[in-house]
Amino acid sequence: MTRAIASDERLSETAGVLRSIPGIGPVASTMLIAEMPEIGTITGEQAAALTGLAPVGHDSGTLRGKRAIAGGRRALRHVMFQAALVAAHHNPSLISFADRLRKAGKPHKVIITAVARKLVTIANALCKSRQKWTATGS
């Protein structure tokens, strides 16, 4: 996989953009490129849904169920959870996001899921604009 990415100029540039985001390392960037070739060409909501990190309502008629994540690309979702654990401790904008959720009393798994979703949407937006992460922007 690494050789294939290195040999293609567009994929190599995408990998550089992804690796610039604190929390996304070589495994996560390779998985994003391999499992989600659409990255950078879709909306943030679509990216979250493709990774299985979008909340899905369990509603029927007047019944309103609890929201949960479902579907998507399972292997990519697992890798993004690991990346979210790192990003929640090393990415300045995601640290404050996680702290805000923690202060609101959200459970740990909900926080990590939200951070993973935000990480995917940030990665998608940066790939779309072909810009690397900057400390002030996301």
Side-chain angles (χ1 to χ4, degrees):
M1 270 313 251
T2 306
R3 281 191 296 245
I5 290 171
S7 67
D8 185 289
E9 187 178 321
R10 180 113 174 125
L11 292 179
S12 183
E13 182 186 353
T14 300
V17 169
L18 292 171
R19 292 287 306 274
S20 72
I21 304 168
I24 295 185
V27 173
S29 67
T30 303
M31 281 294 287
L32 278 166
I33 291 169
E35 293 285 327
M36 196 163 70
E38 307 92 346
I39 194 162
T41 62
I42 55 178
T43 66
E45 292 85 12
Q46 291 170 327
L50 282 174
T51 54
L53 293 168
V56 177
H58 299 284
D59 302 340
S60 176
T62 58
L63 176 69
R64 298 289 174 243
K66 190 174 182 180
R67 300 314 189 232
I69 60 170
R73 296 167 184 165
R74 187 174 182 210
L76 183 56
R77 182 172 58 245
H78 292 299
V79 168
M80 292 315 296
F81 273 124
Q82 292 301 313
L85 289 169
V86 174
H89 293 290
H90 299 288
N91 188 320
S93 66
L94 295 178
I95 289 171
S96 59
F97 177 67
D99 286 343
R100 190 176 74 231
L101 293 176
R102 205 171 289 112
K103 286 178 185 161
K106 301 292 182 188
H108 177 71
K109 190 168 183 181
V110 170
I111 294 169
I112 295 304
T113 302
V115 170
R117 178 189 165 118
K118 196 171 225 16
L119 194 58
V120 167
T121 57
I122 289 170
N124 185 61
L126 289 176
C127 286
K128 189 177 281 189
S129 66
R130 310 305 292 167
Q131 294 180 341
K132 291 191 174 189
W133 171 269
T134 58
T136 58
S138 54

